Amino acid sequence: EAQVTQNPRYLITVTGKKLTVTCSQNMNHEYMSWYRQDPGLGLRQIYYSMNVEVTDKGDVPEGYKVSRKEKRNFPLILESPSPNQTSLYFCASSLKLLAGEQFFGPGTRLTVL
Amino acid sequence: AQSVTQLGSHVSVSEGALVLLRCNYSSSVPPYLFWYVQYPNQGLQLLLKYTSAATLVKGINGFEAEFKKSETSFHLTKPSAHMSDAAEYFCAVSDRVEDKIIFGKGTRLHILP
């Protein structure tokens, strides 16, 4: 089954404790992206990757890191989480950047205390 | 830069009534346009997309949208609402200049019995 998986689905952590949210897709898509969803703000792009070893900042990259060592994986790293990073996070992948359907993961709800 | 505006953060319609969710975009270059739906506790999934073919686009679950260049609009409609349509709907537009997808802030659709 074609899918994007994220782990964990739910995470509660404390300020400053490094964490990683994993994202994996099995569709051989080149383009992957991370978004955060906040009430009233919609989806905002954090980082995206056009291909292996190619990543770029989205609209809200501060406080986040990503890596793309393999085509299928695109982890999101919070080196020192803060309460303002409490949010719902989505990973997405697509075959084409602009014209293609984006396939979204189920989301990770992160709470930073 | 591209922008997308969804009128109404919440829309309520009675079961069986017409659904109309509004989306306007700003673009000087013909865009690609998308509608996504998010059911509770799930990721987004594609409803339909416009990529410069027919201006009336049919999607899943009986939804359709019409691209109107003169009005810079891409409104989503469904002739008869069903309880299962209750969800949040996002309009998205591709920005061919900055190579990115921009999402609207979303419209939550409520279906009244």
Side-chain angles (χ1 to χ4, degrees), chain A residues 19-83:
Chain A
L19 67 91
T20 299
V21 183
T22 64
C23 172
S24 183
Q25 51 94 4
N26 63 0
M27 295 166 278
N28 202 35
H29 286 167
E30 292 189 346
Y31 181 80
M32 297 186 73
S33 186
W34 275 103
Y35 295 90
R36 60 178 289 173
Q37 183 180 15
D38 301 289
L41 298 178
L43 273 77
R44 294 179 292 168
Q45 190 180 53
I46 302 170
Y47 268 94
Y48 64 95
S49 169
M50 304 282 271
N51 212 330
V52 175
E53 302 292 359
V54 180
T55 63
D56 214 340
K57 297 178 180 178
D59 298 315
V60 288
E62 292 77 21
Y64 304 95
K65 286 175 57 177
V66 293
S67 68
R68 188 90 182 273
K69 293 183 170 54
E70 305 166 282
K71 198 171 188 178
R72 62 183 294 125
N73 296 324
F74 190 45
L76 179 69
I77 303 156
L78 284 71
E79 295 269 4
S80 183
S82 62

Side-chain angles (χ1 to χ4, degrees), chain A residues 37-42, chain B residues 5-12 20-22 35 87-90 104-110:
Chain A
Q37 183 180 15
D38 301 289
L41 298 178
Chain B
T5 303
Q6 292 185 240
L7 287 176
S9 57
H10 292 264
V11 170
S12 295
L20 171 60
L21 303 183
R22 300 178 187 272
W35 275 100
E88 188 154 21
Y89 292 80
F90 292 91
K105 295 186 177 180
T107 297
R108 186 167 295 278
L109 177 64
H110 304 271

Side-chain angles (χ1 to χ4, degrees), chain A residues 37 40 59 90 98-99 102 105, chain B residues 34 36 38 49 90 100 105:
Chain A
Q37 183 180 15
D59 298 315
F90 289 100
L98 296 181
Q102 290 201 67
Chain B
F34 307 83
Y36 286 85
Q38 183 182 29
K49 67 178 182 181
F90 292 91
K100 60 194 294 186
K105 295 186 177 180

